[in-house]
Amino acid sequence: MAKLLKALYALVVNNFLSILAVAFAAAVLQRGWPFSIDGVAIWLHAQRPVHLLTAAILIAAVANLLRARWPRDVYLVEYGCFRPRPCFRAPFATCREHVHLLPYLLDDKESLSFAIRLLERSGLGEETCVPDSYHYMPPDRSLAAAREETELVIFSAIHDVFAKAVAVTPADIDVLIVNCSIFTPTPVFTDMVINRYKLRAGVRALNLSGMGCGAGLIAIGLARNLLQVAPPGTHVLVVSTEILSSQYYVGSERAMLLPNCLFRMGAAATILSNAPERARFRLGRIVRTMTAARDADYRCIFQEEDDKGIRGVRLSKDLTATAGGALKRNIVAFGPLVLPVSEQILVALSLLKRKLHSKVVRLYRPDFRTAFEHFCIHAGGRAVIDEVQRGLGLSDEDVEASRMTLHRFGNTSSSLVMYELAYTEAKGRMRKGDRVWMISFGAGFECSCVALECVRPAADPADGPWADCIHRYPVQLPHL
């Protein structure tokens, strides 16, 4: 009964303006009835021509002014993801064997057992993949190995997106944005892509680094801002990746061993445009929150050297709590932009009740499932997904795409949310008009949220990174 009453309340409140407009139109028609086209023609004939011309000019001017100030819609035309071959697999047995053979862990039994225990509890499956360099003993951290991995993952993702978006060719790309956090070669990634695909000389190229796993949605936000002021028909190619080969940590600090256990190879390429032709999704609200002013958040994901001078990335033990706090701050700005009026009223009443009575009154948690059908939460780790699920009150089905992507592909950093979107489509769950909420976290600390609306579902949902394994998912994860 309570659910029925809440549904009826939401139906009335969310459509209040429509109901009011219908009632107003009915009252006007009733008051002016009967009227005829001849009567309207007589009234227009009685007006002075100069007045009619002035009114027409004013209406046209106001319409043009509103159209110029109204933000231009931006669309996601197509996206593609790198799909690793089975030869790159890193099953648990191989990882355990390698860990036991690493010379710098042989004398540190505690760090050795910590790495194995972390891997077993990480939520990663047996099919996650690492680059060739990780299969060497010791791992190959050379520049040549990193370049080889870069060309493999980036070019594969770009080839995939152009194969799907058959109407868009490399010659149609006007802006190129590539993001990768730690590894930054010379020439940079954008130059590598321009050289490989022979992009035209006038292409605008932007290379982003140091932003961690959240850089993928940051790059999409940047592309959106550029497209809103660009001429109609402009195309932007966004490539998101993280290159692992040169960043393998060869020390024994526990906090710096975490990236070795969680991160896996991957890349995603996305074509965006400000023209609706052949678009698959329409971009909605984008909100980015930065908490770097807080020292604890700033050092939460930090690249530095350990006591022995070995470089790596240190992940704070407070990472999960930091991500939850950043998401709360983001929701304060993002929620009012996407939630229906019915949920916003309930939040406002909850805040008023707390202010009038006492601070012990529990605030109402808005139901974001009234605004979105699908959720792509950055699967930075099993604990991160658990924290976001509890904070937003989501069901296991809502976070299925995140858990299964972590299990199959591991943490692929900034490209991860696109693998989750591909999972939802591969399962055949995406429908026209469905809304998607993408959430990513990154170094800084940063939290980014992007809303998408499906314009046209995929013609072949299984044609993507999940093509050879979607029939096996979802899988039952061990309870910890």
Side-chain angles (χ1 to χ4, degrees), residues 14 56 65 79 94 146 177 207 242 274 283 286 331 380 449 456:
N14 295 335
L65 181 62
Y79 68 97
T94 301
I177 303 175
N207 200 85
E242 191 63 64
N274 51 14
L283 265 66
I286 299 179
I331 288 177
C449 288
R456 178 174 56 86

Side-chain angles (χ1 to χ4, degrees), residues 95-343:
C95 294
R96 291 192 192 99
E97 181 182 3
H98 279 210
V99 167
H100 281 96
L101 292 176
L102 292 174
Y104 49 86
L105 289 179
L106 288 177
D107 298 329
D108 192 340
K109 300 300 182 182
E110 290 186 2
S111 295
L112 181 63
S113 61
F114 169 78
I116 295 175
R117 188 169 65 252
L118 175 66
L119 188 63
E120 293 173 345
R121 298 169 59 91
S122 64
L124 274 66
E126 297 280 353
E127 296 183 89
T128 61
C129 295
V130 294
D132 271 338
S133 58
Y134 276 30
H135 293 276
Y136 288 93
M137 294 300 296
D140 183 2
R141 304 170 67 228
S142 66
L143 180 61
R147 284 187 179 276
E148 182 180 351
E149 180 191 352
T150 300
E151 294 178 359
L152 172 64
V153 298
I154 286 183
F155 295 161
S156 297
I158 295 175
H159 178 75
D160 187 37
V161 74
F162 279 125
K164 294 177 180 177
V166 291
V168 181
T169 66
D172 298 321
I173 299 301
D174 303 286
V175 181
L176 171 65
I177 303 175
V178 183
N179 67 265
C180 180
S181 286
I182 300 178
F183 178 61
T184 306
T186 302
V188 292
F189 296 105
T190 51
D191 297 330
M192 296 171 65
V193 175
I194 292 172
N195 178 263
R196 172 63 175 80
Y197 291 91
K198 308 304 178 187
L199 302 186
R200 57 190 183 83
V203 67
R204 269 60 172 176
L206 299 166
N207 200 85
L208 307 181
S209 63
M211 295 182 177
C213 303
L217 294 189
I218 293 174
I220 288 179
L222 173 60
R224 192 275 307 265
N225 294 341
L226 294 172
L227 286 169
Q228 285 183 333
V229 297
T234 301
H235 291 88
V236 178
L237 174 62
V238 176
V239 183
S240 300
T241 189
E242 191 63 64
I243 305 304
L244 308 179
S245 295
S246 63
Q247 307 306 322
Y248 193 93
Y249 175 63
V250 293
S252 58
E253 283 249 7
R254 294 188 185 184
M256 302 175 81
L257 283 171
L258 289 169
N260 291 356
C261 299
L262 294 176
F263 283 90
R264 295 295 185 264
M265 65 191 305
T270 307
I271 297 176
L272 299 106
S273 177
N274 51 14
E277 290 80 16
R278 302 176 301 276
R280 298 250 287 106
F281 294 90
R282 183 178 65 85
L283 265 66
R285 301 290 187 171
I286 299 179
V287 174
R288 177 186 175 193
T289 302
M290 294 174 287
T291 63
R294 299 180 72 250
D295 291 343
D297 291 10
Y298 173 69
R299 298 190 65 88
C300 188
I301 303 175
F302 207 82
Q303 184 184 22
E304 59 182 350
E305 296 174 340
D306 63 12
D307 296 338
K308 298 179 181 179
I310 303 172
R311 184 181 303 171
V313 176
R314 184 185 302 275
L315 301 184
S316 169
K317 62 181 180 180
D318 300 322
L319 175 60
T320 302
T322 301
L327 180 59
K328 289 179 182 178
R329 293 182 179 88
N330 191 288
I331 288 177
V332 171
F334 187 73
L337 302 177
V338 297
L339 284 171
V341 179
S342 58
E343 290 296 308

Side-chain angles (χ1 to χ4, degrees), residues 344-418:
Q344 296 189 47
I345 290 177
L346 293 176
V347 173
L349 291 176
S350 175
L351 289 169
L352 181 62
K353 183 179 179 181
R354 188 179 196 183
K355 187 173 184 179
L356 293 177
H357 291 81
S358 67
K359 292 185 178 181
V360 296
V361 175
R362 186 175 182 179
L363 291 176
Y364 173 75
R365 181 175 61 192
D367 186 0
F368 280 93
R369 287 173 292 188
T370 60
F372 300 99
E373 285 75 30
H374 309 287
F375 300 85
C376 296
I377 303 165
H378 174 69
R382 194 168 186 169
V384 174
I385 302 174
D386 292 341
E387 179 74 14
V388 176
Q389 181 181 5
R390 284 194 299 267
L392 298 180
L394 302 178
S395 65
D396 290 339
E397 290 75 17
D398 294 328
V399 298
E400 179 185 311
S402 300
R403 293 195 190 281
M404 296 305 105
T405 301
L406 180 64
H407 181 271
R408 172 62 183 88
F409 294 101
N411 184 350
T412 63
S413 190
S414 58
S415 62
L416 191 56
V417 288
M418 303 311 297

